[in-house]
Amino acid sequence: MTRKITDHRSLALTRRAFAAGAAATTALAWSPLRAQEKFPSKTIEVVTHAGVGGGTDITARMMMVHAPGVFKTELAVVNKVGGSGGAALAYANSRPRDGYTIMLITQTHLLTMIQGKAPVKYAEIVALARATDDPQVLMAGKNSPYKTAKDFLEAGKKKSMKYGATQLGGVDHLAVLGFAKKAGQEKPTVVPFRGGGDIVINVVGGNVDVGILNYAEADSQIKSGDVRPLLVLAPKRLGPLPDVPCSKDLGLDASYSTVRGFVTLKGVPEENLKALEEGLVKAMKGKMYASYIESSGQSPDSVVGRKEWQAQLDAFYNEGAEALKSIGLLK
Amino acid sequence: MDAFLAGMGILVDPYMLFLVFAGTLLGIIVGALPGISGSTTTALLLPLTITMPPTGALAFLGSIYCAANFGGSITAILINAPGDPSASATAFDGYPMAARGEAGKALGISAISSAIGGIFSVFVLIVAAPLLARAAYNFGPPEYFALAVFGLSMVAAIGGDSPTRNLLSAAFGVLLATVGLDLTTGVERFTFGIYALSDGIEFIPVLIGLFAMAELLEQAAHGNVVKEYIKLSAVKLPSLADFRKCAKAIILSSGIGTFIGTLPALGATTAAMICYNESRRWSKHKLEFGRGAIEGVAGPEAANNAAVGGAMVPTLALGIPGSATTAIILVGLIVQGVRPGPHLFNEQPTLLYVVFASMLAANLLYLVLGLGAAKLFARVTLIPPAYLWPGVFVLSVVGAYAPNQSMFDVGTMLVFGVLGLLFRRFGFSPAPLIMGLVLGRMVEETFKQSLLIFDQNWLLFLSRPIVVLLFALTILGLSAPALAHGWRRLRAR
């Protein structure tokens, strides 16, 4: 019995050691000659800024359920936590640009690059495939005076609304500022919290007027009636929330979502990029990944190829730079 | 009732029993290894549970979670290196006990208090989960602020005997807590452009450094001295009198621990710290604390295991994790297609009773393993120093490295090891520093959040009943020594 358990542990450790070893060996063995071989022929590293068990880490691991079968090679997650994606970008930048290092990034990485806190410029980011596109939803507590999106929008024109969001200067914050401007709300107050769970509690407890959340973060509170979703910040309504209006229904051009997707750095040969794009998309069309996407309340068309993903990244980069300037975090 | 029976049925199902047993044993072992905590292990094994049925995955992860909190006390007691952050308060008195030859006794009381705390919290979970979970919604930033202030008001009393040094140590902890990205302004503070510092100073390497590494350095200084190590003959299980002495601490800590566990963001570590203080406050033998008080082991151990059941309350009832490990268990459930929340109690009662049953089983199992094998675990201290401390060094480095796979964290651990050594040399206690580090960030963040919520009006703090209650307790706690002194003088007249 003891033996079996010890094996578990050593297995976990060996796998990690193996990944590290493999990484070291491949770094040494890399040469232009080898790059001519069929791609991919060795372990692909997937770099994330999330710790083991974090949301982005889970997304990466879900993609990897089917990926080894598709690519006919191993994949390994490399967690580089810190610097709002800066550490992950720095690590990827230190690797050869051969397609064997890919990153799973979020808008956070872009904001970090905009602020010049990463050793990589945005121009070097090459999109591969989008993994998740999770629209933000404005939600109020069950005791809130705002029963519908209209109530909220009307009231917001007269008083400063308190939005529960994650970190100041982060993606949520910019979304709130952008939305409030389009909805004609002056000076919204953003109350920052450590995570979605925290925001939900404070929405239910009435400490903030609304929270800006992803559907999955408040799924159980929505079902129990403690949280009332008011408005989906997307051009389309959400599958699990057919009765909740989207911004287009109210004539607002306001789409904000939490996006994760795979990218690599400039310099990777075109045929490798193509192989990565096709393989990733195929892996994410797998059953396991699809059920993961569905259980978190997202539509299956979250997964798109590099053209659409690159366009979305470009748009977000430009908007992000402006927004950061407007709140004084960027000079 | 059918669901209850079906849930309890896992106790006779060989496959489920195997998973609970495997989880418990694994939990004790990883819990005992400094740096490798229950949350690290559940995270690493999460992919494995995807292949199990939901009930099996839950039983397995739940058992690891329960047992890891007990396992942490083994190394905290034997080598002063808390195997799990939640066991850091256990080391305050557990190690002095072991040092004077009562390792077996300390381990025995730890196993029994852990099991009592754990089982108590599971019963609370069963009976009151839907009700208790509601309390979470009444805890907003102002309440957390008051709670953190209450916690900080106690630092002068914990650890060493000099209140001044304790306050200095705590202040240093609060200062360290300011490092990193400030949540409420989005500005990086004291990070010097180092990525690894942007999320603040990592808790685990600090802990390993202050406890394990500092001890190692201290021992290295005595390298040439032939030091007599704890003899096996001294290993003795606690007596009935010991249990009687600890009864109050165990009961008190089981209750407080469960309550703190139910609060999101506050887990076993905070529960153990607060209950260590409370055990001391209500003890008749206050002076023994920090010098090997058996109640000082019983209190935090009952508390950290009670917090496990408590933390499962918001996780299952609200879908909001009460700790790092429950966050991972939550992800495990979601991956299985099970979405925890209030509706879970109506839709899948069997699944819930499986959780309850497996947690009960795990609590009983580590009690048996802990008591039965206490002598075996106690042998760790019989390992010659020449083998033991290099082993501790390796474990410390691996433990600091593992959670983030970061060499920077290893450096942090080493720096805090040296700092811990200096602390010892100059009569400072590391415990208030850790309290300051944990609570400092909470005080600052919740204060700023509260002011945003209150439109910068400070007086509105007094409009919240729970805040007023906690403030009153804080004032009472701070003035208690003065009041007691005055009362004695009055009586003497």
Side-chain angles (χ1 to χ4, degrees):
Chain A
M1 191 61 228
T2 317
R3 167 119 190 94
K4 163 116 188 96
I5 297 307
T6 332
D7 280 349
H8 265 335
R9 273 189 34 71
S10 60
L11 186 71
L13 288 177
T14 347
R15 269 177 63 174
R16 185 172 285 169
F18 172 73
T25 330
T26 47
L28 287 175
W30 190 84
S31 72
L33 239 181
R34 285 184 69 96
Q36 300 299 318
E37 285 173 17
K38 190 188 168 300
F39 178 88
S41 56
K42 60 189 184 194
T43 303
I44 299 174
E45 288 189 358
V46 183
V47 188
T48 126
H49 67 305
V52 178
T56 308
D57 179 68
I58 303 268
T59 307
R61 286 174 202 273
M62 286 296 157
M63 177 279 288
M64 280 165 46
V65 172
H66 300 289
V70 174
F71 284 116
K72 307 271 181 288
T73 177
E74 288 295 314
L75 286 89
V77 174
V78 180
N79 303 87
K80 289 286 166 193
V81 182
S84 303
L89 287 164
Y91 175 78
N93 194 34
S94 74
R95 310 285 303 152
R97 301 192 175 186
D98 53 7
Y100 286 103
T101 307
I102 62 174
M103 276 183 285
L104 182 55
I105 68 164
T106 66
Q107 291 114 317
T108 304
H109 293 74
L110 301 187
L111 293 178
T112 304
M113 282 185 270
I114 292 171
Q115 294 176 62
K117 289 184 193 164
V120 181
K121 293 249 179 317
Y122 175 69
E124 295 190 69
I125 297 288
V126 180
L128 291 172
R130 189 172 74 195
T132 69
D133 186 1
D134 203 355
Q136 305 266 32
V137 183
L138 291 182
M139 305 189 193
K142 67 170 171 196
N143 298 323
S144 156
Y146 315 116
K147 308 284 178 210
T148 63
K150 283 213 178 79
D151 289 352
F152 175 73
L153 290 175
E154 282 307 311
K157 283 174 186 158
K158 289 173 202 121
K159 67 170 255 203
S160 164
M161 285 292 174
K162 292 193 185 79
Y163 286 79
T166 50
Q167 185 197 309
L168 231 74
V171 184
D172 280 4
H173 184 194
L174 300 187
V176 169
L177 293 178
F179 171 77
K181 202 170 160 193
K182 286 175 185 164
Q185 299 189 350
E186 275 177 38
K187 300 225 162 148
T189 305
V190 174
V191 185
F193 293 97
R194 283 250 161 225
D198 245 7
I199 300 176
V200 171
I201 290 176
N202 284 285
V203 164
V204 179
N207 293 317
V208 290
D209 292 310
V210 289
I212 183 160
L213 291 155
N214 294 126
Y215 168 75
E217 290 174 313
D219 170 88
S220 50
Q221 281 72 23
I222 294 172
K223 286 192 176 138
S224 69
D226 286 319
V227 162
R228 193 184 304 125
L230 296 178
L231 182 63
V232 178
L233 302 182
K236 262 200 317 203
R237 293 191 180 196
L238 264 187
L241 300 172
D243 303 326
V244 179
C246 62
S247 19
K248 203 176 172 192
D249 292 337
L250 299 176
L252 285 168
D253 172 30
S255 331
Y256 301 95
S257 55
T258 307
V259 185
R260 298 189 185 108
F262 294 95
V263 302
T264 188
L265 294 177
K266 212 175 195 166
V268 176
E270 170 59 28
E271 67 253 37
N272 292 11
L273 289 177
K274 198 154 173 283
L276 282 169
E277 178 197 21
E278 282 166 7
L280 286 168
V281 170
K282 199 169 164 202
M284 290 188 286
K285 296 282 183 200
K287 209 173 121 216
M288 199 77 160
Y289 190 84
S291 80
Y292 155 71
I293 287 275
E294 200 192 304
S295 74
S296 53
Q298 303 176 59
S299 77
D301 35 278
S302 279
V303 178
V304 297
R306 48 183 164 151
K307 203 170 148 219
E308 206 170 324
W309 174 221
Q310 183 77 54
Q312 193 177 15
L313 280 175
D314 290 346
F316 190 87
Y317 182 83
N318 295 331
E319 280 170 30
E322 263 173 54
L324 280 178
K325 263 181 212 149
S326 73
I327 57 170
L329 277 176
L330 188 69
K331 266 133 216 144
Chain B
M1 200 59 204
D2 287 350
F4 178 77
L5 289 177
M8 295 296 151
I10 70 147
L11 299 178
V12 289
D13 180 338
Y15 176 65
M16 296 297 275
L17 272 183
F18 165 75
L19 286 178
V20 170
F21 185 75
T24 306
L25 203 58
L26 189 65
I28 297 182
I29 294 169
V30 299
L33 293 171
I36 305 180
S37 64
S39 49
T40 319
T41 315
T42 41
L44 285 174
L45 292 182
L46 196 58
L48 192 78
T49 63
I50 295 178
T51 59
M52 301 176 189
T55 49
L58 257 182
F60 183 62
L61 293 174
S63 306
I64 295 179
Y65 186 25
C66 288
N69 267 313
F70 162 69
S73 72
I74 296 174
T75 24
I77 291 168
L78 293 180
I79 52 174
N80 204 17
D84 200 83
S86 64
S88 43
T90 311
F92 300 161
D93 279 288
Y95 184 67
M97 275 183 82
R100 66 166 187 248
E102 295 178 348
K105 201 173 172 183
L107 279 173
I109 199 75
S110 159
I112 289 181
S113 346
S114 296
I116 295 175
I119 291 169
F120 173 80
S121 75
V122 175
F123 277 111
V124 170
L125 180 64
I126 294 173
V127 178
L131 301 169
L132 244 164
R134 292 274 132 188
Y137 289 139
N138 294 327
F139 258 78
E143 284 76 19
Y144 279 116
F145 171 69
L147 193 70
V149 168
F150 180 55
L152 276 179
S153 76
M154 298 185 274
V155 292
I158 65 161
D161 1 83
S162 157
T164 321
R165 286 196 174 91
N166 286 345
L167 284 176
L168 280 173
S169 174
F172 185 56
V174 173
L175 185 69
L176 288 177
T178 61
V179 173
L181 198 63
D182 178 14
L183 182 74
T184 47
T185 58
V187 172
E188 285 186 11
R189 298 186 297 195
F190 307 120
T191 58
F192 306 103
I194 300 167
Y195 294 132
L197 285 176
S198 65
D199 292 328
I201 292 181
E202 277 295 325
F203 192 60
I204 293 170
V206 171
L207 217 62
I208 298 177
L210 282 178
F211 287 96
M213 205 60 194
E215 180 68 28
L216 187 155
L217 293 173
E218 182 74 34
Q219 297 292 336
H222 306 302
N224 293 330
V225 186
V226 181
K227 197 163 177 272
E228 203 168 323
Y229 254 74
I230 300 163
K231 282 183 192 148
L232 192 62
S233 60
V235 173
K236 203 177 90 195
L237 291 182
S239 67
L240 204 61
D242 292 325
F243 289 128
R244 223 169 272 148
K245 196 171 170 189
C246 297
K248 197 158 68 180
I250 295 176
I251 294 167
L252 195 72
S253 305
S254 298
I256 301 177
T258 307
F259 172 70
I260 293 175
T262 59
L263 301 175
L266 289 187
T269 310
T270 321
M273 287 285 183
I274 289 182
C275 286
Y276 180 80
N277 289 327
E278 291 307 314
S279 300
R280 181 178 180 278
R281 189 188 302 231
W282 297 98
S283 167
K284 290 195 185 105
H285 317 277
K286 286 194 181 63
L287 286 178
E288 285 176 21
F289 276 75
R291 299 190 181 91
I294 192 162
E295 295 151 278
V297 177
E301 275 307 303
N304 65 28
N305 280 78
V308 170
M312 290 299 263
V313 172
T315 311
L316 296 174
L318 297 177
I320 293 165
S323 70
T325 315
T326 47
I328 294 159
I329 293 179
L330 189 71
V331 169
L333 281 171
I334 294 170
V335 167
Q336 294 269 6
V338 178
R339 184 154 288 277
H343 61 289
L344 192 64
F345 283 84
N346 304 322
E347 287 171 12
Q348 302 211 35
T350 312
L351 189 72
L352 288 174
Y353 285 110
V354 166
V355 181
F356 302 155
S358 61
M359 284 176 72
L360 274 181
N363 273 304
L364 290 171
L365 209 55
Y366 73 66
L367 176 64
V368 175
L369 288 172
L371 283 182
K375 289 190 176 180
L376 196 70
F377 295 133
R379 279 172 185 267
V380 173
T381 54
L382 291 179
I383 301 171
Y387 298 110
L388 178 68
W389 293 107
V392 170
F393 181 74
V394 171
L395 279 182
S396 301
V397 172
V398 171
Y401 179 78
N404 288 333
Q405 300 164 37
S406 151
M407 276 314 283
F408 185 87
D409 288 349
V410 176
T412 309
M413 187 272 291
L414 293 173
V415 168
F416 278 88
V418 174
L419 189 76
L421 180 71
L422 294 176
F423 260 49
R424 282 155 187 251
R425 287 292 157 88
F426 294 101
F428 286 88
S429 163
L433 189 155
I434 289 163
M435 286 275 268
L437 189 59
V438 176
L439 296 176
R441 178 185 267 194
M442 196 156 115
V443 162
E444 192 195 354
E445 275 179 15
T446 55
F447 180 67
K448 290 195 197 160
Q449 287 169 337
S450 303
L451 285 187
L452 284 169
I453 289 169
F454 293 150
D455 292 319
Q456 313 293 330
N457 186 349
W458 294 46
L459 286 176
L460 285 179
F461 271 111
L462 301 177
S463 68
R464 320 264 292 209
I466 299 175
V467 175
V468 173
L469 178 74
L470 286 168
F471 278 169
L473 284 175
T474 308
I475 292 168
L476 201 69
L478 286 177
S479 52
L483 287 177
H485 185 66
W487 174 245
R488 271 197 297 275
R489 277 183 54 175
L490 214 71
R491 290 247 313 234
R493 239 177 239 172

